[in-house]
Amino acid sequence: MKSYKNILFQFLAGLLFMLGIKQFFIFIELDLLDLIASMGKETFSYYADKTDKFGISNKLQRLVHAKIILGFIGIAINYFILFFIAYKKRLNWNISIGITIILCFIHFFKLFELAPISFMQMNLILAYLIPAFLTIIISVVFYLMAFKTTSK
């Protein structure tokens, strides 16, 4: 029973860490996200479909690429943390690989996404960063719980 708790803590920590890291894509094109938030998604998509004289499609493409790269960076950091836990507690490191593969599938198929806080329209950075920091802090707690629940 203790090993299932450990695996669950490791998985939840990895998932939350990946979701939190992905939210830092906001710093890539902050002016574009501010424009989308001020115009509304429907109005913005209408104007983006009609004209592209400001290079909006290139900026949106950069945002998508940045979010994908940040997700995989989060998964890689998670793998190193899980491998460290397995190394220190002399556990089977195949669990770390399995959790990493599952997180890659979740990231690739976009099964979970962390949404910004919708009522914080005044400050767009805080709407994205508060959930990001909260999920990273909670993931650190889950990493510590996974480290503590392992047996030698």
Side-chain angles (χ1 to χ4, degrees):
M1 185 67 183
K2 213 171 197 181
S3 67
Y4 292 123
K5 272 204 246 182
N6 182 20
I7 293 170
L8 180 67
F9 288 149
Q10 288 180 10
F11 176 73
L12 288 176
L15 181 66
L16 290 174
F17 188 76
M18 177 192 66
L19 292 175
I21 292 293
K22 281 171 53 173
Q23 287 300 97
F24 288 102
F25 80 100
I26 188 170
F27 291 116
I28 304 296
E29 293 289 341
L30 189 59
D31 57 341
L32 181 66
L33 291 173
D34 195 26
L35 178 68
I36 294 170
S38 66
M39 289 178 72
K41 289 181 184 178
E42 292 80 23
T43 308
F44 177 79
S45 65
Y46 172 76
Y47 285 120
D49 287 340
K50 293 294 179 191
T51 181
D52 194 18
K53 58 183 168 180
F54 299 114
I56 291 174
S57 62
N58 291 335
K59 290 181 178 187
L60 287 173
Q61 193 173 19
R62 265 190 291 200
L63 280 176
V64 169
H65 290 293
K67 200 167 186 181
I68 291 170
I69 290 169
L70 285 173
F72 282 119
I73 288 172
I75 290 171
I77 292 171
N78 172 61
Y79 173 72
F80 287 120
I81 292 171
L82 295 182
F83 187 76
F84 175 77
I85 291 172
Y87 175 75
K88 283 302 227 182
K89 295 294 184 166
R90 296 187 173 114
L91 299 173
N92 189 358
W93 57 272
N94 292 334
I95 294 171
S96 303
I97 292 175
I99 290 173
T100 303
I101 290 170
I102 291 170
L103 289 176
C104 284
F105 280 119
I106 289 173
H107 176 60
F108 183 74
F109 292 115
K110 297 177 183 158
L111 299 177
F112 293 108
E113 290 292 329
L114 190 62
I117 300 173
S118 61
F119 62 86
M120 294 190 75
Q121 293 294 335
M122 299 303 283
N123 195 344
L124 190 63
I125 294 176
L126 288 178
Y128 281 90
L129 290 185
I130 288 175
F133 283 125
L134 285 176
T135 56
I136 290 173
I137 289 169
I138 293 170
S139 72
V140 168
V141 170
F142 279 130
Y143 283 130
L144 290 174
M145 290 172 72
F147 189 75
K148 294 290 183 185
T149 60
T150 57
S151 59
K152 288 189 177 183

